[in-house]
Amino acid sequence: MNDRLVRLMDDVKARNPAQPEFHQAVEEVVDSLELVLDRRPEYRSQRILERIIEPERVILFRVPWVDDQGDVRINRGFRVEMNSAIGPYKGGLRFHPSVTLGILKFLAFEQVFKNALTTLPMGGGKGGSDFDPKGKSDGEVMRFCQSFMTELYRHIGPNTDVPAGDIGVGGREIGYLFGQYKRLANEFTGVLTGKGLNWGGSLIRPEATGCGTVYFAAEMLATRGDTLDGKTCLVSGSGNVAQFTAEKLLDLGGRVVTLSDSSGYIYDEAGVDREKLAFVMELKNHRRGRIEEYAQEYPDAAYTPVEDGADHNPLWNHAADCAFPSATQNEINEQDARNLVANGVQVVAEGANMPTVAGGVEVFLDAGILYGPGKAANAGGVAVSGLEMAQNSMRFSWSREEVDRRLHGIMKDIHATCVAVSDEFGTPGNYVNGANIGGFIKVADAMMDQGIV
Ligand code: GLU
């Protein structure tokens, strides 16, 4: 990194203290941009980089609600409206106790580039709360969502900012949030995506992130004349992304041997087949139970609980061809990355956002494996959100085949952009540079056109 970019990073750290994930996300992009800034000096003079790392607006608010015991509970709500150069702010809401402003700024920053890569007109944003839906009743979740939306509704709109789901926010939460928005705004409109099918949702939206990640992995393998057929795959997580990653892998002949949640992971040598996957979906989406129950239902599978303070995650230490981290940020540390490479992994396709620490990314790039960073590999989710917005604007719904065809086409386009851009900038096969530079140029050019705003 040149002196100017080192100074920029020092400044980012000084101005945004205690936001290490945001620093990490910015540094990864800045690392890729040196060549672009040399070729396009106008980006420097117009301070595009300095502007793109500063959110256009951050909203922070109190979310009071009453639990089932009648006690008053207080959470913190956020919406980071990062960049609207190419469209309305777009990005999910995360409800998880780990949510802080720094986490949401990293996610919103990544979202800007990811959304640009989809080729659809969406800016970047992210929001959420430190509310933990785990163990809460439906009534408590509903009251929380209503209180959250009572403040958020004045800041969002179908042409302003369109939130969606992320960790802890699925169909149930989007329903409660939409109901309250409609009541307050007196307007039935596409202000959220991930809606139910009979009230404005899109077919394939639930499947889209996992399905898109697998399409992206297949594209990467195709560059080496290979396919997913017969490949052994490590998948982490057991939520929306992991479930549909596993489903699509089964469609394409892959063998999924792991799944996890925050308490531990299962290893199933025989593979998670369709019947076992249906059990996981019922367990996680309806009973809201723990993945440990998988090993009780299928005793041939081994369950390993999370070990606090461990230097590596054993999930990533099994022989496999492909890894699909689909849980959360920084779930693959440097040692995990080394273990994956040593165990023969050829493909890492990130369904989660920034699941690999910076040192781990280096390990993958140095090993020359096919490494698809989240902002490219998992863009299928927000891409189908963009298609949901398009269908809402038309007051029309496309068939399952139509949405899937468009999703597949978008994932192929994102892959092609990554390949073309990484070639053009002299780092062939480096999808990190391809995604960062490809997304950046589209947003930067729009910002140039729109003046100093
Ligand atoms: N939360 C998802 C993501 O990280 C989807 C966002 C959306 O659909 O707006 O991209």
Side-chain angles (χ1 to χ4, degrees):
M1 227 193 258
N2 68 30
D3 287 353
R4 196 165 174 274
L5 294 180
V6 170
R7 276 202 306 280
L8 180 104
M9 274 319 302
D10 287 345
D11 199 44
V12 168
K13 288 173 190 163
R15 281 167 62 87
N16 304 280
Q19 297 181 354
E21 293 83 5
F22 180 60
H23 307 162
Q24 182 185 341
V26 172
E27 188 147 9
E28 190 214 274
V29 170
V30 166
D31 253 339
S32 294
L33 293 181
E34 202 160 343
L35 283 169
V36 188
L37 297 172
D38 286 346
R39 285 194 203 173
R40 302 285 298 269
E42 66 274 25
Y43 289 163
R44 283 219 168 95
S45 62
Q46 295 304 300
R47 298 264 188 270
I48 293 291
L49 205 46
E50 288 83 346
R51 278 193 272 155
I52 222 167
I53 58 182
E54 197 64 35
E56 289 179 13
R57 185 181 300 113
V58 174
I59 301 141
L60 205 157
F61 50 99
R62 178 170 70 201
V63 189
W65 56 284
V66 180
D67 69 19
D68 287 347
Q69 283 67 49
D71 288 333
V72 177
R73 309 276 284 257
I74 316 295
N75 285 101
R76 192 170 280 177
F78 305 87
R79 186 72 182 164
V80 178
E81 296 182 336
M82 200 72 187
N83 194 297
S84 61
I86 64 169
Y89 308 107
K90 181 83 195 85
L93 297 171
R94 177 175 292 192
F95 291 169
H96 192 270
S98 66
V99 163
T100 59
L101 181 58
I103 293 278
L104 295 176
K105 279 175 65 183
F106 118 63
L107 289 163
F109 184 74
E110 293 249 316
Q111 199 83 44
V112 173
F113 302 90
K114 181 192 321 197
N115 293 4
L117 285 168
T118 66
T119 70
L120 301 173
M122 298 182 288
K126 203 89 186 189
S129 174
D130 57 359
F131 173 76
D132 187 359
K134 196 159 74 187
K136 304 287 192 299
S137 69
D138 286 352
E140 289 177 321
V141 170
M142 181 182 76
R143 291 194 293 280
F144 172 81
C145 287
Q146 289 177 340
S147 180
F148 183 86
M149 187 52 88
T150 299
E151 176 56 38
L152 187 68
Y153 95 99
R154 68 187 89 247
H155 307 287
I156 62 177
N159 296 308
T160 309
D161 185 353
V162 184
D166 195 79
I167 293 172
V169 178
R172 172 181 63 168
E173 290 74 17
I174 293 294
Y176 295 147
L177 291 163
F178 185 79
Q180 184 72 350
Y181 178 88
K182 182 163 60 66
R183 186 182 185 197
L184 292 168
N186 191 27
E187 198 175 80
F188 191 112
T189 180
V191 71
L192 293 161
T193 60
K195 299 186 291 298
L197 276 181
N198 54 353
W199 44 277
S202 173
L203 286 159
I204 309 282
R205 179 63 191 87
E207 295 89 334
T209 310
C211 184
T213 305
V214 175
Y215 284 147
F216 195 85
E219 288 298 306
M220 291 199 291
L221 275 165
T223 64
R224 298 191 177 170
D226 206 349
T227 71
L228 283 160
D229 193 28
K231 297 282 188 291
T232 299
C233 303
L234 306 176
V235 178
S236 64
S238 51
N240 167 270
V241 180
Q243 291 171 16
F244 290 104
T245 293
E247 186 177 85
K248 200 69 194 174
L249 284 170
L250 288 175
D251 290 347
L252 299 183
R255 185 172 66 108
V256 175
V257 292
T258 58
L259 289 170
S260 69
D261 61 20
S262 57
S263 309
Y265 84 99
I266 57 101
Y267 177 78
D268 187 345
E269 178 71 34
V272 179
D273 61 18
R274 285 186 200 277
E275 183 211 305
K276 294 170 181 174
L277 185 57
F279 171 83
V280 172
M281 289 185 178
E282 167 65 22
L283 172 72
K284 284 288 166 184
N285 307 347
H286 300 292
R287 286 199 283 128
R288 300 184 190 272
R290 310 303 295 162
I291 200 72
E292 184 174 6
E293 288 182 43
Y294 182 101
Q296 289 152 11
E297 184 75 11
Y298 305 107
D300 287 343
Y303 174 72
T304 308
V306 167
E307 192 192 320
D308 282 339
D311 66 347
H312 74 287
N313 179 351
L315 187 156
W316 304 122
N317 204 11
H318 293 278
D321 306 298
C322 311
F324 291 86
S326 313
T328 194
Q329 67 272 357
N330 292 335
E331 57 171 307
I332 296 180
N333 69 20
E334 212 173 310
Q335 184 58 46
D336 295 323
R338 279 194 226 102
N339 290 343
L340 284 165
V341 170
N343 283 314
V345 160
Q346 281 305 314
V347 176
V348 177
E350 295 184 337
N353 290 313
M354 205 171 74
T356 310
V357 302
V361 173
E362 286 304 310
V363 169
F364 294 148
L365 294 177
D366 289 348
I369 66 164
L370 296 164
Y371 168 62
K375 59 172 85 67
N378 74 36
V382 75
V384 175
S385 278
L387 300 179
E388 183 172 328
M389 290 166 72
Q391 293 169 85
N392 291 166
S393 299
M394 291 188 293
R395 300 188 186 283
F396 187 75
S397 327
W398 287 320
S399 67
R400 177 169 283 274
E401 293 69 31
E402 176 69 12
V403 180
D404 187 45
R405 188 184 62 75
R406 288 177 187 266
L407 167 64
H408 202 171
I410 289 170
M411 297 316 294
K412 280 174 180 269
D413 285 349
I414 296 173
H415 181 268
T417 299
C418 290
V419 169
V421 172
S422 58
D423 283 353
E424 184 189 338
F425 284 87
T427 55
N430 184 328
Y431 290 87
V432 176
N433 282 347
N436 287 338
I437 298 173
F440 176 79
I441 289 177
K442 184 168 176 192
V443 177
D445 284 345
M447 289 173 73
M448 293 289 295
D449 291 344
Q450 293 169 23
I452 311 293
V453 289

